[in-house]
Amino acid sequence: EAGVTQFPSHSVIEKGQTVTLRCDPISGHDNLYWYRRVMGKEIKFLLHFVKESKQDESGMPNNRFLAERTGGTYSTLKVQPAELEDSGVYFCASSQGLSPLHFGNGTRLTVT
Amino acid sequence: QKEVEQNSGPLSVPEGAIASLNCTYSDRGSQSFFWYRQYSGKSPELIMSIYSNGDKEDGRFTAQLNKASQYVSLLIRDSQPSDSATYLCAVIFSGNTPLVFGKGTRLSVIA
C-alpha cells in the first residue's frame, strides 16, 4: 500500500509569492489532515477534510491559506501571498474512520 | 487551551539501557493517546497507541497511561542507536477534535 505522499519535498520562495503544496492520501482514506511545524514549535493542526468537505479548519492561521480537496482525493494547500512566518514543515496525514493517522514526509517551506 | 507537554531533551541513554519518555496533558477527560517516532527529515511514524489506564506492551516498547495524573509515558527497553529520534506525544482530547502534539523529546542512544 502506498503511503501518504507530498509534493514538493522542499520549496524556497520569496515573500509575497504564491506556493501550492499537494498531498495524496492513502487510497480509500476519507480523512485528510494538514499540520504545520514551525521551527522550535510543536506540530500544529491546520485543518481536517472528510472526503471533499472541510470538517474543521479552526487551525488555519489566516485567509492567506486556502485548502482544497477536489473530488475527495488529493488535497492542495495554497499560501498566497507568503510571509516569512509561514516558513516551516507542512505535513499531511490521512486516516480511515477512527484509525490512527498516517503522515507524509512533509514539505519544507522556506520563505525568504 | 488544550496542551501536551514534553521535555525537549536531548535525552541521552547508553545502548542497552531503558529510555523513559514522559508526557503530560491538560484535559483530564482525554481519551486517546499516541506516541510517534520521527527521524530527521522523515514523517512521524506511529509506534504506540493507548486508550485505558495501565501499561501496554509491544515488543521493546511499553506505553503507560495514568489518567488521574494526566500523564503518559513511553519506555524503550534495550535501547539501540537506531532508536535515536524525536518522540512525539499526541492526544485526542475529545470526540472528533484533531490530534494535538507535544513538541517532542529528542532521544540519543549512545553506542
Side-chain angles (χ1 to χ4, degrees):
Chain A
E1 165 183 87
V4 177
T5 56
Q6 293 186 245
F7 182 84
S9 57
H10 293 82
S11 180
V12 181
I13 60 172
E14 292 183 354
K15 176 182 172 181
Q17 290 186 320
T18 297
V19 63
T20 300
L21 315 180
R22 173 170 169 144
C23 168
D24 286 76
I26 292 172
S27 178
H29 281 192
D30 289 340
N31 294 305
L32 187 149
Y33 302 82
W34 283 99
Y35 281 82
R36 175 175 75 170
R37 184 167 196 158
V38 172
M39 181 71 73
K41 304 283 188 181
E42 65 272 24
I43 297 174
K44 281 201 167 177
F45 169 79
L46 295 178
L47 89 159
H48 170 206
F49 284 99
V50 178
K51 298 185 180 179
E52 67 275 10
S53 299
K54 291 176 184 173
Q55 177 77 13
D56 181 352
E57 51 185 328
S58 61
M60 295 288 263
N62 52 60
N63 59 10
R64 296 186 293 102
F65 289 75
L66 175 65
E68 294 180 325
R69 190 181 183 193
T70 307
T73 54
Y74 71 91
S75 174
T76 58
L77 179 64
K78 181 190 287 188
V79 185
Q80 178 182 31
E83 298 290 345
L84 298 179
E85 65 263 25
D86 301 332
S87 296
V89 182
Y90 290 76
F91 289 102
C92 176
S94 72
S95 71
Q96 182 58 28
L98 299 178
S99 66
L101 273 60
H102 296 263
F103 282 82
N105 281 342
T107 294
R108 181 175 295 277
L109 175 65
T110 302
V111 182
T112 63
Chain B
Q1 181 79 356
K2 310 291 189 186
E3 291 187 335
V4 178
E5 299 287 341
Q6 292 182 259
N7 187 323
S8 61
L11 173 66
S12 294
V13 300
E15 183 175 0
I18 295 175
S20 177
L21 303 158
N22 305 313
C23 171
T24 59
Y25 57 94
S26 60
D27 186 345
R28 186 176 291 253
S30 304
Q31 297 297 317
S32 306
F33 308 86
F34 306 88
W35 282 99
Y36 284 81
R37 176 178 62 197
Q38 186 178 21
Y39 294 110
S40 180
K42 299 296 185 182
S43 60
E45 171 194 9
L46 180 69
I47 52 173
M48 290 286 284
S49 59
I50 187 165
Y51 305 98
S52 54
N53 279 328
D55 294 1
K56 179 180 177 182
E57 187 174 317
D58 184 1
R60 295 186 296 112
F61 298 98
T62 299
Q64 299 175 316
L65 175 61
N66 184 327
K67 290 187 178 181
S69 300
Q70 296 170 229
Y71 175 93
V72 57
S73 66
L74 179 70
L75 302 178
I76 306 175
R77 288 181 300 282
D78 188 23
S79 296
Q80 301 297 309
S82 58
D83 295 326
S84 298
T86 296
Y87 289 80
L88 302 164
C89 175
V91 178
I92 293 179
F93 284 98
S94 63
N96 251 349
T97 58
L99 201 56
V100 177
F101 284 89
K103 289 186 179 181
T105 298
R106 192 155 49 93
L107 173 67
S108 178
V109 181
I110 310 299

